């Protein structure tokens, strides 16, 4: 019985050591990945990587990870010759395989949410209009128009939708003074717009949702590339 107790104690101690080594390894790998990884087609201020699953060292040997979470801040997605800034992009990557000699990785599938502040959305509108949260899933778009020689400020509640998986479309639900000839067209020239945002992190935009803290953009993708 004494020998059995000693054996059990040794097994527990060794198990704890192995778990500790495994956790140290994953912590080191996350730190290295955070400093080196890049999202396809974007630039970022910072990236944090969280590798899920246990044991980590077994996944390393297989060069395959079941689940990896990535959070990027200050992302600048490119669409044509223009950029749009994304304050934060949180992604869940599945079936991640290492490519080459640990030079990069590819996720079999990915989903996430990008949060664009209203200040950044205003900068991207190119219409001289200010965009804010309008409540109840709407945007509030405010712009100045000239009517009969007078400069007037008008605000509208607008709906934002996705076009072709890579473009935001903002259109006013109603325009104040629309019954006056020419007024609606003048207001819509300032408040309605479409803005390409590209493939954020190599992923397609599925839907958008105005929130008090910004415009939430839900994205999904397959075979998403992470460059080293």
């Amino acid at each position: 019985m004494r020998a059995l107790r000693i054996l059990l104690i040794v097994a527990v101690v060794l198990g704890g050591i192995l778990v500790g080594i495994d956790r140290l390894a994953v912590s080191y790998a996350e730190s290295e990945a955070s400093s080196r990884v890049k999202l396809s087609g974007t630039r970022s201020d910072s990236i944090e990587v969280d590798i899920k699953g246990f044991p980590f060292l077994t996944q390393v040997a297989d060069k395959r990870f079941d689940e990896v979470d990535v959070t990027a801040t200050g992302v600048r997605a490119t669409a044509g010759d223009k950029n749009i800034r994304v304050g934060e992009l949180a992604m869940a990557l599945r079936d991640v395989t290492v490519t080459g000699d640990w030079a990069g990785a590819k996720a079999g599938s990915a989903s996430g949410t990008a949060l664009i502040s209203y200040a950044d959305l205003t900068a991207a509108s190119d219409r001289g209009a200010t965009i804010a949260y309008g409540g109840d899933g709407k945007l509030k778009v405010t712009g100045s128009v000239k009517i009969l020689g007078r400069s007037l400020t008008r605000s509208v509640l607008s709906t934002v939708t996705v076009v072709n998986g890579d473009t935001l479309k903002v259109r006013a639900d109603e325009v104040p003074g629309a019954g006056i000839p020419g007024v609606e067209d003048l207001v819509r020239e300032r408040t309605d717009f479409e803005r390409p945002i590209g493939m954020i992190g190599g992923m397609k935009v599925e839907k958008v949702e105005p929130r008090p803290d910004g415009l939430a953009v839900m994205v999904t993708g397959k075979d998403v590339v992470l460059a080293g």
Side-chain angles (χ1 to χ4, degrees):
M1 291 295 293
R2 183 171 180 272
L4 179 60
R5 285 198 297 271
I6 292 174
L7 182 61
L8 289 173
I9 291 172
V10 171
V12 170
V13 171
L14 288 177
I17 291 173
L18 291 174
V19 170
I21 292 173
D22 191 85
R23 293 301 88 190
L24 286 173
V26 73
S27 178
Y28 175 78
E30 288 172 344
S31 177
E32 284 295 300
S34 296
S35 64
R36 295 173 57 183
V37 74
K38 297 178 182 178
L39 303 177
S40 176
T42 65
R43 292 178 293 118
S44 308
D45 291 339
S46 66
I47 291 181
E48 291 185 5
V49 177
D50 183 10
I51 302 173
K52 307 292 186 180
F54 179 84
F56 167 71
L57 293 176
T58 300
Q59 297 183 85
V60 171
D62 292 338
K63 289 189 175 182
R64 181 182 178 278
F65 302 89
D66 294 331
E67 181 180 350
V68 178
D69 291 345
V70 175
T71 302
T73 58
V75 178
R76 286 166 293 281
T78 301
D81 60 347
K82 295 182 179 180
N83 292 335
I84 184 169
R85 186 180 184 279
V86 177
E88 181 177 283
L89 172 60
M91 302 188 304
L93 310 179
R94 299 292 182 269
D95 189 22
V96 179
T97 54
V98 175
T99 57
D101 187 18
W102 295 89
K106 179 185 291 186
S109 64
S111 61
T113 300
L115 188 66
I116 304 174
S117 73
Y118 292 117
D120 289 327
L121 193 59
T122 294
S125 70
D126 294 333
R127 290 299 179 94
T130 301
I131 302 172
Y133 181 58
D136 197 26
K138 301 290 183 180
L139 298 178
K140 180 182 178 182
V141 185
T142 303
S144 296
V145 296
K146 281 192 174 182
I147 300 176
L148 299 177
R150 297 177 59 190
S151 180
L152 303 175
T153 300
R154 290 290 182 266
S155 295
V156 295
L157 289 179
S158 300
T159 298
V160 55
T161 55
V162 181
V163 179
N164 298 326
D166 64 358
T167 300
L168 299 180
K169 180 178 181 179
V170 177
R171 182 172 174 80
D173 296 346
E174 296 181 6
V175 175
I180 303 173
V183 168
E184 181 169 1
D185 290 341
L186 288 172
V187 174
R188 289 193 181 278
E189 283 179 3
R190 287 294 187 185
T191 61
D192 292 0
F193 63 92
E194 292 187 14
R195 180 64 172 90
I197 60 174
M199 300 286 285
I200 299 177
M203 294 185 287
K204 178 181 179 180
V205 178
E206 293 289 345
K207 68 174 184 176
V208 290
E209 178 184 309
R211 298 176 180 175
D213 56 344
L215 182 67
V217 181
M218 278 58 86
V219 294
T220 62
K222 294 186 180 297
D223 298 327
V224 176
V225 175
L226 303 175

